[in-house]
Amino acid sequence: MPKATRKIVVALSGGVDSSVAALLLKQQGHELIGVSMQVWDYRNHGGCSTRATCCAPSDFMDARKVAAVLDVPYYVFDFESSFREKVIDKFVRSYQQGYTPNPCVECNNKVKFGELRARAHTLGFEQVATGHYARVEGEAGRKRLLRGIDGNKDQSYFLYGTKAAELGATIFPVGALTKPEVRELAKAAGLVTAEKAESQDICFVSGSAGEFVARIGGRRPAGQITDKSGQVLGHHDGIHNFTIGQRRGIGIGGNEEPIYVVDIDAASNQVIVGPKEELEREGFRVAETNWINPELLETLAKDGAAELSAIAQVRHRHAGVPVTLKIDQNGACSARFVSEWSTISPGQAAVFYDTANIEVLGGGTIVR
Amino acid sequence: MRKFINLDANASYGPLPALKPSSILDSDYLNPSSIHRGGQRAKAAIELARDRVRELVGSDSALKVIFTSGATEALNLALNFPPEVARGRTIVSTTIEHPAVLAALQRFEKFGGVVRWVAPGRNWEFSEAPFLNALAEKPLLVNLMCVNNETGQLLPVAEISQALRSAGYRGLVLSDAVQAAGKLDLSFAGLGADMLALSGHKIGALPGVGALVVGNRTDLEPLVVGGPQEGRLRAGTENVPGIISFGQAAEYVRQNLAHRLARYAALRDTLEREISARFPDTIINCANTERVANTSSLTFPGVNADDLVVALDLAGIGISSGSACASGKPEPSHVLLAGGLAPATARSTVRLSFTAEAADDELAYCIEKLGDAVERLRGAA
């Protein structure tokens, strides 16, 4: 039996993944509209020096070409004000408080699957598709979010903020493919994005994150670099220029073993450095949690289980390590590493997978 | 599938069915500056087109028609005052002009000139007083458009230029006549202007061609320099097919003006009547001012105009919110704000502009789809 035709908004970034997402849905006969999201205007913010960005106007041209080739109506939706408020301002604030935020998570939650879904709904389109490498499986009402097939490209980490109910209206057409397969499909279909370079880093930051934070939110004052014991080793030019785990560019030389930023204390305006071991934690707490399937908490409560075994991924491109989770009734959570301690950066997302390391259970923002 | 319906003719009319492709793309036409017959034929075709465009604004053979890449270039040419001329001088202009004029006047200010802006009154009206008041500054130029592109409002160009002349004004009068051509009996002499800007594709010619029509002004400074084309006022090989199509369109809309105007009025009035009946809270902007017959500026309170544009596009109908801008950045229209609309009201306003070729069943389809979309978007809000 052929699948029913659905009305789907496909988010087109101008990259190859979302292009192929649109291609596949088109081939399945769905009624599509392609949308690029205008989130940040480089002309107002000092221009853009890198090509590896996903929200530059030239990428919209590629998106437009792909949409035209696929005969999909294409629109640019303006989400600048909400992006500024929900992503940029939070990003800048976090940096200024010594955190290392992950704006892509916020963008997915609040803008892509928030604003875009709302706008799509207004236009009578219930489904939203993107080029994320992730999978949605399961029957209606019991949808599960899984890692993408391609281990190198998996982006489920960025999607932990979704709710099970929303997954039913979310499609990741390339999640079951590998990147090389995606490129092949694009090439075979003659899409202009087939050979396009990967977008890296944070789309709205064209230089260093520190420069960006200073430009938007103002510089933080200079201060001391100390070790854990408080001994002053040097000076820094503002904590917004540092992230925990950073090794290069600290400005302190002459050490036998490499030193890292192991903590940032916004209150005392100090950057604390030390050897790699000092980065490692036996556990961490997360706030602003989201649990994809709310039944998870109910089941835990019913079983009287105090703890849950899971795999924690504490940054993008982290394989994930076993943890034991303690989840409160309100969903807040602390994690303890089981076998090996790991380095963590407050502000980054910690995403928890099942013990098979495939299904996203939920996640949150790492706090101190 | 139903043919796409252009309810956005003020953005681009689309090629008129009356255009003759074989003469526009005549393979005999070579470089009009060439001495040989390939050049001669092209040059003659251009000059014939020039006569047709001149006739569109009256038939005064003394008028100079300078072909440009479009009305934006024509307006830029008209307002191309070098810094040494601009410094300390005044230009008087309405606030509801096309961005081409607004940007050219910003440049005039950057060059040391002063712009006295005249905003419409409470009912969009423009009186003579603010123009006359500015005469003390001995303005270099007074600018007001014939017809506003967003609302269709007809501005009192003839009355104001006459009042200015009676008061002894000897400077220049410029008028953007882009949206007037083909929608009223346009007369250069009657308007009392020194320069009119025209656009080809707004009257059904190919895009990429416009004209500045000039009476007696001899100090025009070319924007594009090079060869001696267009009386040394616009260098570069002429857009031969564009110019020929412009001539054909100009002739067609002039000769068929009366019945086209009747058709425009019938289309617009039916749409406004039926939509207002279905949604009594619809605001018809400029309803109580004189306006050209093909344009409807409608406010649907509570509806996001950009969503309405997308919804109608998905139904196969092209309309616009404010003026055409592909940037995807919906700023509320400066015209609607100048007319006193609140920003939220301006964001709920769409422009419908008809072609005279729209068929009755297309009109009925548009009315139905527009109504359905408004209803659905209100339900979703």
Side-chain angles (χ1 to χ4, degrees):
Chain A
M1 199 177 83
K3 270 197 200 164
T5 299
R6 289 182 288 175
K7 296 177 83 168
I8 304 167
V9 168
V10 53
L12 292 177
S13 67
V16 64
D17 303 325
S18 57
S19 301
V20 169
L23 170 71
L24 294 172
L25 295 172
K26 182 76 184 181
Q27 287 169 342
Q28 290 162 16
H30 297 298
E31 183 182 341
L32 302 183
I33 64 175
V35 169
S36 291
M37 290 172 276
Q38 169 78 37
V39 294
W40 190 241
D41 190 338
Y42 292 94
R43 287 167 301 183
N44 295 342
H45 299 100
C48 177
S49 58
T50 62
R51 284 204 66 244
T53 59
C54 64
C55 44
S58 70
D59 290 317
F60 289 2
M61 292 303 158
D62 289 334
R64 197 177 282 281
K65 288 180 208 164
V66 167
V69 166
L70 298 178
D71 193 22
V72 169
Y74 171 80
Y75 310 100
V76 176
F77 286 175
D78 174 65
F79 294 137
E80 270 189 44
S81 59
S82 66
F83 189 78
R84 169 83 202 211
E85 181 190 325
K86 291 166 182 163
V87 180
I88 299 277
D89 287 351
K90 187 169 182 184
F91 175 82
V92 169
R93 220 167 34 241
S94 298
Y95 251 97
Q96 292 188 329
Q97 291 164 0
Y99 286 91
T100 308
N102 197 316
C104 303
V105 168
E106 298 294 330
C107 177
N108 279 319
N109 287 347
K110 307 275 170 54
V111 182
K112 280 187 196 154
F113 294 108
E115 303 262 339
L116 179 59
R117 192 184 291 291
R119 193 93 189 263
H121 172 78
T122 307
L123 293 166
F125 286 67
E126 295 305 332
Q127 304 276 329
V128 172
T130 69
H132 282 111
Y133 287 84
R135 289 173 295 153
V136 175
E137 283 189 359
E139 289 159 32
R142 306 184 61 87
K143 293 285 183 188
R144 301 181 305 143
L145 175 64
L146 310 181
R147 287 192 189 273
I149 290 284
D150 187 330
N152 287 325
K153 285 300 302 175
D154 169 50
Q155 292 167 318
S156 57
Y157 172 80
F158 297 110
L159 300 167
Y160 77 87
T162 348
K163 290 279 181 201
E166 295 167 343
L167 288 176
T170 306
I171 309 170
F172 302 122
V174 303
L177 300 172
T178 65
K179 184 82 182 196
E181 288 169 338
V182 165
R183 288 214 185 272
E184 272 313 306
L185 287 169
K187 219 183 296 179
L191 301 182
V192 292
T193 51
E195 312 273 349
K196 208 167 158 179
E198 297 284 304
S199 65
Q200 300 279 350
D201 304 326
I202 299 165
C203 73
F204 55 85
V205 173
S206 58
S208 78
E211 284 166 29
F212 178 86
V213 169
R215 197 162 65 234
I216 303 295
R219 301 194 162 277
R220 304 298 298 159
Q224 294 171 335
I225 300 178
T226 70
D227 66 13
K228 213 166 76 175
S229 70
Q231 192 191 336
V232 178
L233 303 175
H235 292 85
H236 66 77
D237 55 354
I239 59 169
H240 60 278
N241 290 306
F242 295 84
T243 60
I244 292 173
Q246 174 182 343
R247 188 181 143 190
R248 295 198 177 83
I250 299 175
I252 294 179
N255 299 282
E256 279 174 26
E257 56 175 331
I259 64 160
Y260 294 80
V261 174
V262 297
D263 205 355
I264 298 171
D265 185 345
S268 66
N269 194 32
Q270 284 177 328
V271 172
I272 297 110
V273 299
K276 188 161 193 221
E277 305 87 75
E278 288 180 14
L279 272 171
E280 292 174 352
R281 300 283 182 275
E282 72 185 302
F284 57 91
R285 287 190 309 117
V286 293
E288 300 178 304
T289 52
N290 177 59
W291 301 97
I292 292 189
N293 194 334
E295 284 170 27
L296 177 76
L297 299 186
E298 288 162 27
T299 312
L300 280 176
K302 202 169 61 194
D303 296 354
E307 297 187 331
L308 176 70
S309 292
I311 303 291
Q313 181 176 339
V314 295
R315 73 188 74 88
H316 183 43
R317 303 203 168 283
H318 173 239
V321 292
V323 289
T324 307
L325 301 180
K326 239 184 181 151
I327 307 174
D328 302 346
Q329 279 306 303
N330 60 12
C333 168
S334 63
R336 207 176 61 247
F337 293 114
V338 174
S339 42
E340 45 180 315
W341 290 10
S342 190
T343 64
I344 53 126
S345 295
Q348 291 279 293
V351 180
F352 304 116
Y353 293 80
D354 66 351
T355 49
N357 203 9
I358 292 177
E359 179 184 350
V360 180
L361 306 175
T365 307
I366 301 172
V367 292
R368 285 200 166 80
Chain B
M1 203 172 122
R2 183 179 271 279
K3 165 169 141 266
F4 190 81
I5 300 172
N6 182 8
L7 247 180
D8 197 18
N10 284 11
S12 198
Y13 198 94
L16 271 174
L19 294 187
K20 301 179 192 73
S22 61
S23 61
I24 292 170
L25 289 177
D26 192 323
S27 59
D28 285 347
Y29 295 148
L30 300 175
N31 190 328
S33 298
S34 296
I35 292 166
H36 51 67
R37 276 167 292 171
Q40 294 166 28
R41 291 190 185 106
K43 181 76 175 147
I46 286 179
E47 294 313 314
L48 288 168
R50 201 184 306 281
D51 291 342
R52 300 292 90 78
V53 172
R54 190 184 287 115
E55 285 160 8
L56 183 63
V57 298
S59 46
D60 183 350
S61 60
L63 293 179
K64 242 188 315 202
V65 174
I66 303 156
F67 286 120
T68 62
S69 65
T72 288
E73 189 191 325
L75 290 162
N76 270 267
L77 176 61
L79 293 168
N80 185 31
F81 297 105
E84 63 272 19
V85 176
R87 202 168 302 124
R89 296 300 303 271
T90 297
I91 287 179
V92 187
S93 173
T94 84
T95 54
I96 63 167
E97 301 291 323
H98 187 273
V101 168
L102 301 180
L105 292 181
Q106 277 161 16
R107 191 181 50 188
F108 180 75
E109 286 178 319
K110 208 176 80 188
F111 287 171
V114 177
V115 179
R116 297 289 171 218
W117 296 102
V118 179
R122 288 175 62 91
N123 298 306
W124 294 92
E125 75 280 5
F126 284 96
S127 66
E128 297 161 4
F131 293 93
L132 293 173
N133 290 342
L135 288 187
E137 295 177 39
K138 297 203 182 314
L140 184 59
L141 183 146
V142 172
N143 170 68
L144 72 163
M145 65 199 326
C146 284
V147 170
N148 183 267
N149 48 313
E150 294 188 34
T151 62
Q153 180 190 4
L154 205 53
L155 277 70
V157 179
E159 291 80 353
I160 286 172
S161 63
Q162 194 174 7
L164 288 167
R165 298 301 182 204
S166 303
Y169 174 60
R170 314 198 47 150
L172 298 162
V173 174
L174 168 66
S175 187
D176 169 358
V178 166
Q179 300 292 350
K183 298 169 198 167
L184 51 85
D185 191 2
L186 195 56
S187 159
F188 190 95
L191 290 171
D194 299 287
M195 294 176 285
L196 290 184
L198 298 171
S199 165
H201 75 119
K202 308 278 188 189
I203 63 166
L206 302 181
V209 62
L212 184 67
V213 185
V214 184
N216 47 7
R217 180 181 174 193
T218 51
D219 64 340
L220 276 173
E221 278 287 329
L223 291 164
V224 184
V225 293
Q229 293 87 356
E230 297 300 305
R232 298 196 174 273
L233 287 169
R234 208 289 181 177
T237 302
E238 296 88 339
N239 172 2
V240 179
I243 289 171
I244 295 171
S245 76
F246 195 4
Q248 290 179 4
E251 181 171 39
Y252 179 82
V253 299
R254 183 178 58 80
Q255 288 178 343
N256 295 281
L257 183 66
H259 79 255
R260 284 164 61 85
L261 290 187
R263 180 64 187 156
Y264 280 139
L267 290 163
R268 184 195 65 184
D269 293 347
T270 305
L271 181 131
E272 289 185 351
R273 193 178 58 241
E274 294 198 14
I275 289 295
S276 299
R278 185 163 169 187
F279 305 102
D281 61 346
T282 305
I283 301 163
I284 302 173
N285 295 295
C286 287
N288 299 319
T289 68
E290 266 196 279
R291 46 181 187 143
V292 290
N294 86 315
T295 308
S296 256
S297 171
L298 301 181
T299 302
F300 297 102
V303 173
N304 176 347
D306 294 301
D307 284 342
L308 194 50
V309 172
V310 172
L312 284 189
D313 181 43
L314 294 173
I317 302 164
I319 66 166
S320 70
S321 54
S323 53
C325 179
S327 69
K329 291 195 59 180
E331 296 294 324
S333 145
H334 72 282
V335 173
L336 300 176
L337 297 182
L341 272 69
T345 313
R347 284 200 181 88
S348 295
T349 302
V350 292
R351 178 187 70 186
L352 315 178
S353 45
F354 289 94
T355 68
E357 286 73 28
D360 286 341
D361 69 314
E362 289 178 328
L363 173 69
Y365 178 79
C366 288
I367 291 170
E368 180 198 329
K369 291 295 171 188
L370 175 62
D372 291 352
V374 168
E375 206 161 274
R376 209 192 47 237
L377 292 176
R378 280 189 176 162

